[in-house]
Amino acid sequence: MFAKAKQRLVNLALQGGGAHGAFTWGVLDRLLEDGRLAFEAISGTSAGAMNAVVLAHGLAAGGRDGAREALAKFWTTVAESAPFDVTAASSEGTDTTLTPMLRLMLQWTHYFSPSQLNPYDINSLRDIISAQIDFERLRAESPVKLFIAATNANSGKLKLFRQAEITADAVLASACLPTMYRAVEIDGEAYWDGGYAANPAVFPLFYECSARDIVLVLLTPLEYKETPHAAREIHERVLELAFNATFLREMRMFAHLREYISRSWLVFGRFERRILATRFHVIAAEELMQALAAETKLAANMRFFEMLRDRGRESANQWLDENARHVGQRSSVDLSALFY
């Protein structure tokens, strides 16, 4: 564990991806264990929002060890909450597929609304986060700034829930898949999954934080090796591209601005200086995420979660070995190469 004086302040941007969010659990677990980085703010969407609030709650309750324990408890409870085994996984957990029963239920979502399929609006995630997270304390004294993204179901506009607004409903809204759950109503507005509007939102980490380093933890591949041909594969790819479109557009904007401003040898404005001073870092597992079928985002299986956690820890450890020294100095990724 590194001394607090040596810690470098960063912001985290956590993508959504359902069960694949267990990869982010592993990343966070390793960063917390390592101790070289401290977190000023976290922006999260869907599973990223879950990880964000659980991490913040754990930090408030018990510091870094408390955050690691809270994340482990959350993902273990999610796996245990499945009413039946929804997956068939290999012994390694990497070749996970949904059972015929769950496949049939997913097909029904094309023909029946959430109100018809789930008339009592049962959502085990509500029970889990309500039981494990002290939202009143989190709103009053979160040790990190929080930005939780949801999508207004009637306008498509992004809604960012900040620390003072964080409730169980806000987190559930960020993870509300409209084909599976009813829209979450907050103050008279209906919200769906934040992935439609931001996955995750990066701009608040730029405009509202003092830390200049932003660490992106990505669950969606930035590029696929193969073009889908089967009808189901095409449908899944369309959904994945739609969920990532706003994030890609936002990051392309950052890349374009940095390139445009850097062409001038004289930079006067505060905004221009801030753009050039912002440093980006990426922790991801492209090959792993490309190998996983999109349907495994619904795989509530502890063996699968543990595999993703371990791969997340490995990816974070590799990034720390190669790039931790760059934090506070320079970006460890080329934005233009990644997002142009």
Side-chain angles (χ1 to χ4, degrees), residues 206 254 257-258 261 270-278:
F206 174 81
F254 277 112
L257 285 172
R258 287 173 66 89
I261 294 170
R270 176 187 174 194
F271 177 78
E272 289 86 351
R273 293 195 301 272
R274 182 63 185 265
I275 283 286
L276 294 179
T278 301

Side-chain angles (χ1 to χ4, degrees), residues 23 26-27 30-31 217 282-286 288 308-323:
F23 173 86
V27 170
R30 182 67 188 98
L31 296 181
V217 183
V282 171
I283 301 178
E286 284 277 317
L288 170 64
L308 288 167
R309 177 203 61 196
D310 293 345
R311 295 294 293 273
R313 281 181 55 85
E314 291 171 7
S315 296
N317 194 60
Q318 180 179 355
W319 180 83
L320 286 166
D321 287 345
E322 297 175 355
N323 300 302

Side-chain angles (χ1 to χ4, degrees), residues 262-298:
S262 64
R263 293 174 187 170
S264 174
W265 62 272
L266 193 61
V267 177
F268 288 107
R270 176 187 174 194
F271 177 78
E272 289 86 351
R273 293 195 301 272
R274 182 63 185 265
I275 283 286
L276 294 179
T278 301
R279 298 173 288 269
F280 287 93
H281 313 272
V282 171
I283 301 178
E286 284 277 317
E287 291 187 7
L288 170 64
M289 294 306 171
Q290 287 195 45
L292 295 174
E295 65 182 18
T296 61
K297 293 177 181 179
L298 300 174

Side-chain angles (χ1 to χ4, degrees), residues 129-245:
I129 63 174
S130 296
Q132 295 190 11
I133 298 173
D134 185 343
F135 283 100
E136 183 175 354
R137 179 178 182 180
L138 203 60
R139 290 191 295 272
E141 53 186 67
S142 173
V144 296
K145 297 176 183 177
L146 292 170
F147 304 99
I148 303 304
T151 304
N152 188 301
N154 295 312
S155 70
K157 293 180 180 179
L158 168 66
K159 168 63 178 178
L160 276 183
F161 294 96
R162 292 168 171 79
Q163 178 181 330
E165 305 170 289
I166 302 297
T167 63
D169 279 344
V171 180
L172 291 172
S174 184
C176 179
L177 290 174
T179 58
M180 301 184 67
Y181 300 105
R182 298 181 192 179
V184 178
E185 290 198 9
I186 301 175
D187 296 332
E189 297 287 349
Y191 295 101
W192 283 342
D193 195 294
Y196 295 108
N199 190 26
V202 180
F203 70 87
L205 303 178
F206 174 81
Y207 286 109
E208 301 183 34
C209 301
S210 60
R212 297 296 191 263
D213 290 83
I214 299 175
V215 180
L216 309 170
V217 183
L218 306 184
L219 301 180
T220 302
L222 293 176
E223 187 172 350
Y224 297 89
K225 293 181 179 179
E226 299 181 0
T227 303
H229 298 289
R232 191 181 74 185
E233 293 173 348
I234 293 172
H235 177 70
E236 291 173 348
R237 179 67 59 80
V238 167
L239 290 177
E240 290 181 352
L241 292 178
F243 263 59
N244 219 31

